[in-house]
Amino acid sequence: MNDQSASLKRPLIVGIGGTTRAGSSCERLVAAVLAAAAELGADTRLFDGAALAALPHYAPDHPGRTPGQLALVDAVRQADGMVIGSPSYHGGVSGLVKNAVDLLDDLRMDARTYLDGRAVGLVVVAAGWQAGGVTLTGLRGTIHALRGWPTPLGISVNNMAQKPFDADGMLVDADILTQVKAQAVQLMRFARPAA
């Protein structure tokens, strides 16, 4: 690939997030950031709650991988940026999301180790402000440990105080929509197509 074709490549932004409940607020917010990135010219791929729930527990001593695990790792390997969303369960990242993130250890021997060189937007949904802030901070630490670049803007939504979606699942909270669009802009600004 020459320099000109590399500069024309659409960045790939991969989203990971959700719960075992289809259409959860967390899953919808990750999808909203991906949709905003797509409007800015990105290709996107979402690994939603159902996809994450189908992944077996990460076991580093068992290198065999299921098709779902291979698909996730390969998508992240190709990604120029990511969005990771988690509900806050007791002030921490959900096991479902943490299991998927742990699987990214399979990228440790890649030329771009782990999430090196990738911007990562973070989204947290909680039933309170404190839980959301603590979980967002913990998720930022995890992304730093994986050599990723958390976007300056992390989104934390308090489902008890905010109602981001209408009955049809449309994002209607103007403040959250502004944050979603801002995070997509940051992802696109930092996304670098892989060589």
Side-chain angles (χ1 to χ4, degrees):
M1 179 180 297
N2 63 35
D3 289 340
Q4 184 178 10
S5 62
S7 67
L8 298 176
K9 178 185 175 276
R10 291 168 57 98
L12 174 62
I13 309 295
V14 171
I16 296 173
T19 69
T20 55
R21 185 174 48 84
S24 68
S25 296
C26 179
E27 183 177 303
R28 288 179 182 170
L29 285 167
V30 171
V33 175
L34 291 176
E39 288 179 11
L40 297 171
D43 290 329
T44 65
R45 181 153 183 208
L46 174 62
F47 290 86
D48 60 13
L52 301 181
L55 298 175
H57 289 289
Y58 172 67
D61 53 327
H62 297 290
R65 298 289 178 247
T66 65
Q69 289 174 311
L70 292 171
L72 174 63
V73 171
D74 188 54
V76 173
R77 181 175 281 126
Q78 296 176 45
D80 303 299
M82 293 185 67
V83 181
I84 299 176
S86 178
S88 176
Y89 290 158
H90 310 291
V93 174
S94 76
L96 202 65
V97 172
K98 183 67 166 68
N99 185 54
V101 170
D102 286 346
L103 183 60
L104 302 182
D105 189 61
D106 285 3
L107 303 173
R108 71 187 173 283
M109 301 303 288
D110 284 15
R112 285 195 325 170
T113 305
Y114 300 120
L115 302 178
D116 187 50
R118 296 169 182 92
V120 182
L122 302 174
V123 176
V124 172
V125 179
W129 293 115
Q130 181 175 347
V134 170
T135 302
L136 184 60
T137 299
L139 199 48
R140 283 184 184 277
T142 299
I143 299 311
H144 280 289
L146 289 170
R147 304 180 191 181
W149 302 341
T151 56
L153 176 65
I155 301 171
S156 180
V157 173
N158 178 347
N159 259 350
M160 300 303 286
Q162 300 167 290
K163 299 300 176 206
F165 300 99
D166 66 15
D168 296 322
M170 297 296 298
L171 182 56
V172 294
D173 184 297
D175 290 336
I176 296 172
L177 184 58
T178 297
Q179 292 177 56
V180 162
K181 290 181 177 181
Q183 189 174 85
V185 167
Q186 290 177 358
L187 281 166
M188 293 297 286
R189 184 175 300 145
F190 296 124
R192 298 183 299 171

